[in-house]
Amino acid sequence: MGEYVHVVHGFEPVFDSESRLLILGSLPSVKSREEGFYYGNPRNRFWQVTAMVTKQSLPNDREQKIKLLKNAKIALWDVVAECDIIGSGDASIKNVISTDLSLILSECKIEKIYANGSAAARLYRRFQLEQTGIEITALPSTSPANAAWSLERLCKAWQKIAW
């Protein structure tokens, strides 16, 4: 199964004063941490889904990804700032220190918060809902581990984020 490793998040949130919705993942995967940015696993469908539902071009690099998010008024971050985890498995996450969402919430007029997957939603409700007072809507995970969901089905479910 593997060994627990203590992981510190390491990425800044992506947002600007125009951001109106916040998408939260749980914690960057091993591959994303290696790549140094969100959803770095090429098999993760986050960038495909986000580009499709916001009717933008598929981004190829970090700058294009940030531009896509900002054009769509999306802030992006994760629930977990630090934890112990085995590999990239959300189910193994323990000893959580959550991110401080107050920076995003104070600088943006966030109208909706979405979770990329049920683990992110569960962790948010446990560690952050009381502080924010904003309910979260769980969307199906774009992770390759969620293979039961086709790209088309994911896009249909994620259509909620389109303005």
Side-chain angles (χ1 to χ4, degrees):
M1 182 167 165
E3 300 276 325
Y4 273 95
V5 176
H6 186 77
V7 174
V8 176
H9 189 288
F11 310 158
E12 292 297 315
V14 176
F15 70 97
D16 65 19
S17 61
E18 299 298 311
S19 299
R20 295 296 174 260
L21 64 89
L22 171 59
I23 298 175
L24 295 170
S26 53
L27 179 78
S29 68
V30 171
K31 185 69 174 162
S32 293
R33 294 191 305 267
E34 288 170 2
E35 295 291 318
F37 198 64
Y38 299 93
Y39 305 104
N41 184 333
R43 291 179 34 234
N44 190 303
R45 296 159 296 172
F46 178 82
W47 297 111
Q48 285 178 282
V49 169
T50 305
M52 290 173 85
V53 301
T54 62
K55 296 176 177 46
Q56 296 186 67
S57 299
L58 183 64
N60 295 316
D61 59 30
R62 180 187 176 120
E63 290 73 30
Q64 289 177 5
K65 291 171 181 177
I66 291 170
K67 185 178 177 185
L68 180 152
L69 294 170
K70 290 183 177 181
N71 285 344
K73 300 183 180 192
I74 295 172
L76 181 65
W77 208 10
D78 290 309
V79 176
V80 179
E82 291 184 44
C83 71
D84 297 325
I85 188 171
I86 298 172
S88 297
D90 283 348
S92 70
I93 291 174
K94 65 180 187 177
N95 302 325
V96 171
I97 297 172
S98 63
T99 54
D100 180 1
L101 298 178
S102 63
L103 174 66
I104 291 175
L105 297 176
S106 67
E107 293 194 19
C108 308
K109 293 182 176 111
I110 297 297
E111 297 169 12
K112 289 286 291 178
I113 299 178
Y114 294 99
N116 185 353
S118 58
R122 179 177 37 79
L123 291 164
Y124 172 88
R125 288 183 184 114
R126 181 171 175 198
F127 294 104
Q128 293 166 317
L129 178 59
E130 189 175 321
Q131 289 85 7
T132 67
I134 303 170
E135 186 49 63
I136 193 164
T137 301
L139 296 170
S141 175
T142 59
S143 167
N146 187 15
W149 282 73
S150 68
L151 181 60
E152 181 181 349
R153 193 170 164 215
L154 281 172
C155 287
K156 199 170 278 189
W158 276 69
Q159 196 61 41
K160 295 174 182 169
I161 71 165
W163 291 94

